[in-house]
Structure formats: structure tokens, C-alpha cells
């Protein structure tokens, strides 16, 4: 094993895994296996309102069913709160309370100044006079704690999307470190865990590409190590342009399994979308390791015809059709 490369699978156990998750984890698994690195399973269950142990158990079963294993873990973020507390204290000089309500933030989110759907927070509460801040804190007004981000651009290279130079306007400006309900943010927990777990290779969807800038800011402020390699990949989206998610119930792995779709059929299909399985034949993950390269990944999101995929699953279960009948609009997004 190449001990210098470490990657991670970082699922949030908030629902059943679906085809989009399988795509994400297959790619992360292949990238690290290709370099003979170490793979860590980290359950991002910091959001105690949405995470459920039952989903964590099921997702580990689903990963194994797909043929994806890991070398370390599972680590649970819910058991690492002390580490986040410690980092949070170190960050205090860079934080300020934000009293903006959900409604106000929602309005900001729909303003046309964000990039790629990322709302830009213009620093409204950064400018509040100290006496007002003190009075509101004394009154017990609900607030989150936001990080004052630097004005300089954050520069890093992504294997798929190339050189990135992201300024506050690109990644959304000052971002929350602790939410108003007291929970630590995904950005903080992820940044700390990636460093403390020695993660060198981060592989995840391109929707989180801008979060890389936020996480690198945190790692730098905390004097932690930074991952050396980023591979962000395009998303699987439905025909309305929505990213595959838990609401696409017919495409959960559980639902596909129920319709007798074999794990290797799913893996073969996803490998086809990744450009490493030309014939779409069923494949096991370990058979794809040598073929994997991030250079064959498409850059545009991949539009899936969910209805046809559903029918495909149905056909599998009734053994009418061996392979997916086509109609997949690969690289269809403009
Ligand atoms: N837990 C995150 C998710 O499920 C993963 C974030 C990451 O890979 O950094 O979307």
C-alpha cells in the first residue's frame, strides 16, 4: 500500500444511498485504489437532526454490496466534537455573530450575485457596531458565528476543472462556522477531519468545488496540513437539471436491488458514464482500477433519464432486457 496517499468516503447518513452517491463513492474509491492508497470511511453525522444510525448501517451495507471497501473507520463526526470545539476556540478572533434570519438569508440566496447557485453573504453583520452586537448578545438573540474571510483569492488546482482562483464572491463570502442551533458547520468539521486524518486526495462532486476554498482557508488559519490533490467530478442530474438526491426514490440502491438490478450492473453503468467502460457491461469495482483515470471524466454534468432508468431496473427484474437500452443523454448539459 502507498502510505503517502489517503482518500476518504464521507457520506452523510441522512437517507438511503442513491445512484448519485454510488457514482461519487465509486469514483473516490477508484481514485485512491489506483494509487494504492489508504481509504478512510468517515460518517458525516454532525447534523444530529437529520442523521440516523440506521442510515449509517444501511449505507455501509450498500457500499459493501457495490464492492467498495475501506481500510480505516468508520469514524463518526458525532464522536469528534471535542476536536471541533478546540479548533472553534482557536478561530474565535476571526469570528463574528450573525443575526440574519433564515428569511433574510433566503432573500440573499435568491439575489443574482451568487456564483453557481452559491448565495453571496455580503457581510451584513460584520459591520454592526459593537454596542449593538453586545446588546443583542445580552438579549439572547439567535445568531450563528461566521468567519471573516480574507480578501485574497484562494488558489488550488483541481484535476478535472483545472486551476482555480476563488475570491469571496466565488465561494459566497463569510460563511458560518457554528450554526444558530449550536451545531458546527460542515466546512469546519470536514476541514479539520481531512487534515487530522491525513487526507491527501479529496474526490467529490463539483457542487462542492467552491467549498474547497472555504476549507483551505480554515486549514491555513488553524495551521493544519492541506490535501495535495483535488478531483471534483460532474454531477448526475435529472432532466429538469436537479442533482440526483434522496427524493429520486426509484433510484436508491435499495430500490434498484429490490428490482433485482445487480451491483455489477450499476457499477458497469457508472463506469460507462465515467468513460472507463465503453460497452456498459457489468463490472466489479476491482476490475476497473487499472482503467480508471480522471482524464476520461466528462466536465459537464450528466443528464439521466430517470424514467428510463426506472424502467431499466424493472426490465432487469423481469429479465426482459439485459443492458440499459440507451437514451442516456451523456454530457447533455450545456
Ligand atoms: N458528506 C458530504 C456529502 O455527503 C461529503 C462532503 C465531502 O466529500 O467533502 O455530500
Amino acid at each position: 500500500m502507498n502510505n503517502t496517499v489517503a482518500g476518504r468516503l464521507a457520506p452523510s447518513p441522512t437517507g438511503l444511498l442513491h445512484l448519485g452517491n454510488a457514482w461519487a463513492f465509486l469514483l473516490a474509491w477508484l481514485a485512491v485504489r489506483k494509487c494504492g492508497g489508504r481509504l478512510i470511511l468517515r460518517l458525516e453525522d454532525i447534523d444530529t437532526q437529520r442523521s440516523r444510525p440506521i442510515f449509517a448501517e444501511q449505507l455501509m451495507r450498500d457500499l459493501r454490496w457495490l464492492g467498495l471497501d475501506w481500510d480505516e473507520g468508520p469514524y463518526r463526526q458525532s464522536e469528534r466534537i471535542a476536536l471541533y470545539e478546540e479548533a472553534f476556540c482557536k478561530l474565535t478572533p476571526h469570528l463574528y455573530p450573525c443575526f440574519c434570519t433564515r428569511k433574510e438569508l433566503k432573500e440573499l440566496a435568491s439575489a443574482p450575485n451568487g456564483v453557481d447557485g452559491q448565495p453571496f453573504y455580503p457581510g451584513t453583520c460584520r459591520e454592526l457596531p459593537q454596542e449593538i452586537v453586545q446588546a443583542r448578545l445580552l438579549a439572547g438573540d439567535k445568531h450563528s458565528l461566521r468567519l471573516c474571510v480574507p480578501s485574497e483569492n484562494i488558489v488550488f488546482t483541481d484535476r478535472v476543472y483545472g486551476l482555480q482562483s476563488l475570491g469571496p464572491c466565488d465561494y459566497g463570502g463569510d460563511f458560518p462556522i457554528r450554526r444558530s442551533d449550536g451545531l458546527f458547520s460542515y466546512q469546519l468539521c470536514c476541514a479539520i477531519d481531512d487534515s487530522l486524518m491525513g487526507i491527501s486526495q479529496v474526490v467529490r462532486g463539483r457542487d462542492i468545488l467552491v467549498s474547497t476554498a472555504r476549507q483551505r482557508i480554515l486549514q491555513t488559519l488553524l495551521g493544519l496540513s492541506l490535501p495535495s490533490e483535488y478531483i471534483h467530478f460532474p454531477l448526475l442530474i435529472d432532466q429538469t437539471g436537479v442533482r440526483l438526491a434522496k427524493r429520486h426514490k426509484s433510484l436508491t440502491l435499495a430500490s434498484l436491488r429490490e428490482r433485482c438490478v445487480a451491483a455489477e450492473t450499476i457499477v458497469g453503468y457508472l463506469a460507462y458514464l465515467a468513460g472507463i467502460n465503453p460497452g456498459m457491461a457489468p463490472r466489479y469495482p476491482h476490475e476497473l482500477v487499472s482503467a480508471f483515470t480522471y482524464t476520461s471524466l466528462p466536465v459537464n454534468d450528466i443528464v439521466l433519464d430517470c424514467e428510463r432508468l426506472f424502467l431499466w431496473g424493472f426490465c432487469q427484474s423481469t429479465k426482459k432486457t439485459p443492458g440499459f437500452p440507451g437514451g442516456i443523454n451523456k454530457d447533455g448539459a450545456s
Side-chain angles (χ1 to χ4, degrees), residues 96-127:
Y96 64 87
C98 169
F99 301 97
C100 292
T101 61
R102 213 173 262 240
K103 185 166 170 271
E104 286 164 339
L105 293 172
K106 229 177 171 170
E107 276 162 18
L108 287 175
S110 54
N113 49 1
V115 171
D116 203 11
Q118 296 285 323
F120 175 65
Y121 182 72
T124 319
C125 291
R126 201 204 258 216
E127 312 299 338

Side-chain angles (χ1 to χ4, degrees), residues 207-274:
D207 54 329
I208 328 185
L209 182 63
V210 293
S211 281
T212 300
R214 300 184 183 119
Q215 291 162 18
R216 286 178 74 87
I217 292 172
L218 289 171
Q219 286 157 341
T220 306
L221 280 174
L222 291 164
L224 297 170
S225 64
L226 287 87
S228 52
E229 185 179 32
Y230 295 95
I231 305 176
H232 288 86
F233 48 77
L235 306 178
L236 303 188
I237 58 178
D238 71 13
Q239 284 169 309
T240 65
V242 174
R243 177 181 168 211
L244 286 203
K246 283 150 191 144
R247 73 186 183 87
H248 295 89
K249 290 203 169 40
S250 66
L251 294 181
T252 62
L253 298 184
S255 156
L256 290 167
R257 194 165 43 231
E258 246 167 50
R259 284 177 278 141
C260 298
V261 182
E264 54 273 29
T265 305
I266 296 173
V267 169
Y269 170 61
L270 294 174
Y272 158 76
L273 296 179

Side-chain angles (χ1 to χ4, degrees), residues 13-317:
T14 54
L16 293 173
L17 292 193
H18 52 80
L19 203 61
N21 300 122
W23 163 249
F25 299 135
L26 176 65
L27 295 177
W29 187 91
L30 286 172
V32 81
R33 291 290 178 239
K34 177 76 187 243
C35 347
R38 183 166 64 92
L39 192 63
I40 292 170
L41 176 64
R42 179 169 84 219
L43 300 173
E44 299 207 324
D45 59 351
I46 194 76
D47 187 340
T48 44
Q49 284 145 25
R50 296 174 59 227
S51 303
R52 299 277 176 276
I54 193 162
F55 289 134
E57 293 308 317
Q58 184 57 46
L59 78 82
M60 288 191 278
R61 276 198 290 272
D62 282 349
L63 288 173
R64 288 195 192 98
W65 178 70
L66 284 172
L68 305 179
D69 59 355
W70 53 93
D71 309 305
E72 252 186 68
Y75 297 110
R76 291 180 168 77
Q77 288 190 326
S78 57
E79 293 169 1
R80 297 169 60 81
I81 308 281
L83 294 168
Y84 311 139
E85 282 284 357
E86 197 185 318
F88 171 74
C89 291
K90 288 192 189 144
L91 289 172
T92 307
H94 306 280
L95 304 179
Y96 64 87
C98 169
F99 301 97
C100 292
T101 61
R102 213 173 262 240
K103 185 166 170 271
E104 286 164 339
L105 293 172
K106 229 177 171 170
E107 276 162 18
L108 287 175
S110 54
N113 49 1
V115 171
D116 203 11
Q118 296 285 323
F120 175 65
Y121 182 72
T124 319
C125 291
R126 201 204 258 216
E127 312 299 338
L128 283 180
Q130 266 317 303
E131 52 286 8
I132 294 189
V133 172
Q134 290 313 324
R136 295 196 68 170
L137 289 177
L138 270 175
D141 284 3
K142 259 185 111 166
H143 62 278
S144 63
L145 288 156
R146 281 184 190 265
L147 185 85
C148 240
V149 298
S151 51
E152 305 86 58
N153 281 16
I154 307 300
V155 179
F156 60 94
T157 300
D158 179 74
R159 292 282 197 197
V160 176
Y161 293 96
L163 183 69
Q164 306 291 312
S165 176
L166 304 178
C169 288
D170 303 312
Y171 59 78
D174 296 347
F175 58 91
I177 294 297
R178 191 163 211 167
R179 299 175 4 178
S180 60
D181 58 10
L183 291 179
F184 291 118
S185 69
Y186 152 70
Q187 308 296 348
L188 181 76
C189 304
C190 177
I192 292 174
D193 284 348
D194 280 349
S195 292
L196 297 187
M197 293 177 181
I199 300 297
S200 62
Q201 182 190 67
V202 170
V203 184
R204 57 189 176 192
R206 64 128 197 98
D207 54 329
I208 328 185
L209 182 63
V210 293
S211 281
T212 300
R214 300 184 183 119
Q215 291 162 18
R216 286 178 74 87
I217 292 172
L218 289 171
Q219 286 157 341
T220 306
L221 280 174
L222 291 164
L224 297 170
S225 64
L226 287 87
S228 52
E229 185 179 32
Y230 295 95
I231 305 176
H232 288 86
F233 48 77
L235 306 178
L236 303 188
I237 58 178
D238 71 13
Q239 284 169 309
T240 65
V242 174
R243 177 181 168 211
L244 286 203
K246 283 150 191 144
R247 73 186 183 87
H248 295 89
K249 290 203 169 40
S250 66
L251 294 181
T252 62
L253 298 184
S255 156
L256 290 167
R257 194 165 43 231
E258 246 167 50
R259 284 177 278 141
C260 298
V261 182
E264 54 273 29
T265 305
I266 296 173
V267 169
Y269 170 61
L270 294 174
Y272 158 76
L273 296 179
I276 53 171
N277 187 21
M280 231 197 271
R283 288 271 181 260
Y284 292 98
H286 65 85
E287 295 172 340
L288 296 162
V289 173
S290 60
F292 176 76
T293 160
Y294 52 81
T295 53
S296 66
L297 282 170
V299 173
N300 292 329
D301 286 348
I302 301 169
V303 185
L304 296 188
D305 183 336
C306 296
E307 281 296 306
R308 288 188 132 218
L309 273 175
F310 177 79
L311 287 173
W312 172 56
F314 180 72
C315 291
Q316 292 280 320
S317 67

